[in-house]
Amino acid sequence: MRSFLTPKSTSGSVSGISESCASLSSSEMAAEASTAAALNAMKAVESASANLESKPVTEARNLISELCRHFYSLGWVSGTGGSITIKAHDDSVPKTDQLIVMSPSGVQKERMLPEDMYIMSADGSILSSPSPKPFPNKPPKCTDCAPLFMKAYKMRDAGAVIHSHGMESCLVTMLNPASTEFRITHMEMIKGIKGHGYYDELVVPIIENTAYEYELTASLAKAIEAYPKATAVLVRNHGVYIWGDTWISAKTQAECYHYLFDAALKLHQLGIDWSTPDHGLINSRKGVAVKAANTTVQIGNSISENPNGHLPKCIILDIEGTTTPISFVTEVLFPYARDNVGRHLELTYGTPETIDDIKLLQSQVEDDLEKGIPGTIPIPPHEAGKEEVITALVSNVDAMIKADRKITALKQLQGHIWRTGFTRKELKGIVFEDVPEALEKWHSLGIKVYIYSSGSRLAQRLLFGNTNYGNLRKYLSGYFDTAVGNKRETRSYVEIFESLGVDKPSDVLFITDVHQEAVAAKGAGLEAVISVRPGNGLLPENHSFKTITSFSEI
């Protein structure tokens, strides 16, 4: 074959090269392209081979063998079960392209050595396998967990994944064989799980076990997709998969998960409910629920006999016009936030929290400028100076508050300002007089109560933790804000229902003062009731929803 780089004449002219190129047949050009591709592939293999001995890979090998010994001592990887995988962190390589180091199958974890590891490419292809060991060791085998590990890597951009067979992670799935979730709240160690705080409800999906590990791949992927906030998936009668951004994050969360699983088991033995804020006695709740089985339930102006005791399993409450006078929000909270924006930014400027608030506001302002939202002015860059930046922020926030914008950037900043107000006792939350008694009653019946408001979750916790009737947070199981979606969109209520762990949407009752929100909730299959309180807006004529003027009617 004549190379197209060889000139047709000895003159070496450009025209000679061009003529030679033109004279090539399509088959010759295809062959040249194939050769080039093969050379590139060889170079890629050579590069990958060189990376197999790199410092990040070596460190990951050593780390996994060390962690396996540690996990063995904890009872997480006994009998060669369980596994761990870590991405070989290299700053020069994008995380999605980093090599993967994975412990093998069928090896005594406490005796595992760095050379026992499998090295894989980012797409899961095996680049290096361990050498066979003499009898009685079995031939090396890549773990059956590999396809499940790859799902966590690809779907969650994980940096490490741990598969534990810890006894507590197995038994906790057997407490309720029909449950598809593990739930726990108001436990300190929940703070160790990414995206969760003490007052949050931790939800871990449970999938059914199969005879072979790889057969779990599809159901694990569905669970990961269905629970975007989850960093773990339990496998019934088996164990748990846990992932994190780094090996430290995965290990830390694994320790917290096992602690919480163990706590749930011990609380169950004591007859204590771990899934409710006050962790009351399980038996007493069941007794109250049985007692309520033949009661009459009144909703709005209608009274319906309830021979089967069909009470809602969950109640979701709006705040403005439902638990709290609209005037408190418009005449107390909003003015406080507006009047204290400048002071708050001045005092906290440069802190990580406020830096995040400012970035969120800048992004919102840029979007508002593009859309021509009235009252929006550009925020100068940081280099312009603290005073100019704060002045522009105050002006934009003032306009947002006056327009009652339901946007995350504003709500997040307001929550931080109100926190200062509640801490300094300059603010106190107001709820209607029937609210505390109703919350206590629902709680005693075993009904879980949640809040869904356009205000941030922080603002919600502050309000109910500092009310004119004291701290009411002990009656609340969780909080939802606009992070799940707009309150007037049906998909927001679908998202909430799917996170509550009830069998059907009609098990959930939503109470609001806004007709459009009731319509959206009904569209998702939830039961909806409209709250009619002093100061609330007018409702459309001939609407089909039941109305109440007090929670005592429920």
Side-chain angles (χ1 to χ4, degrees), residues 38 61 72 161 540:
R61 284 176 180 268
Y72 174 82
V161 191

Side-chain angles (χ1 to χ4, degrees), residues 86 241 318:
I86 297 174
Y241 284 85
D318 172 51

Side-chain angles (χ1 to χ4, degrees), residues 247-266:
W247 73 267
I248 293 177
S249 173
K251 175 179 177 290
T252 300
Q253 292 185 94
E255 292 168 350
C256 292
Y257 276 117
H258 283 78
Y259 175 97
L260 294 168
F261 298 154
D262 189 42
L265 292 170
K266 288 182 168 61

Side-chain angles (χ1 to χ4, degrees), residues 431-441 467 469 472 475 551:
V431 297
F432 294 112
E433 62 180 359
D434 55 280
V435 172
E437 183 179 351
L439 291 177
E440 184 177 8
K441 180 182 75 174
T467 78
Y469 291 93
L472 300 179
Y475 302 124
F551 284 175

Side-chain angles (χ1 to χ4, degrees), residues 155-156 219-229 233 495 498:
M155 297 178 71
R156 289 297 175 83
S219 55
L220 181 127
K222 289 181 181 178
I224 291 177
E225 184 177 8
Y227 293 80
K229 195 177 180 181
V233 173
E495 178 74 21
E498 290 180 345

Side-chain angles (χ1 to χ4, degrees), residues 462-528:
L462 288 169
L463 191 155
F464 287 98
N466 302 272
T467 78
N468 48 326
Y469 291 93
N471 186 352
L472 300 179
R473 283 197 305 222
K474 59 185 177 182
Y475 302 124
L476 302 175
S477 293
Y479 309 86
F480 297 99
D481 58 17
T482 51
V484 303
N486 189 291
K487 293 185 69 182
R488 302 190 180 195
E489 295 181 1
T490 294
R491 60 186 177 87
S492 303
Y493 298 89
V494 173
E495 178 74 21
I496 290 174
F497 156 68
E498 290 180 345
S499 70
L500 292 182
V502 294
D503 296 328
K504 50 187 182 296
S506 58
D507 287 332
V508 182
L509 172 64
F510 176 55
I511 307 176
T512 179
D513 67 308
V514 180
H515 178 257
Q516 295 94 324
E517 293 178 3
V519 171
K522 185 177 180 181
L526 278 66
E527 296 293 329

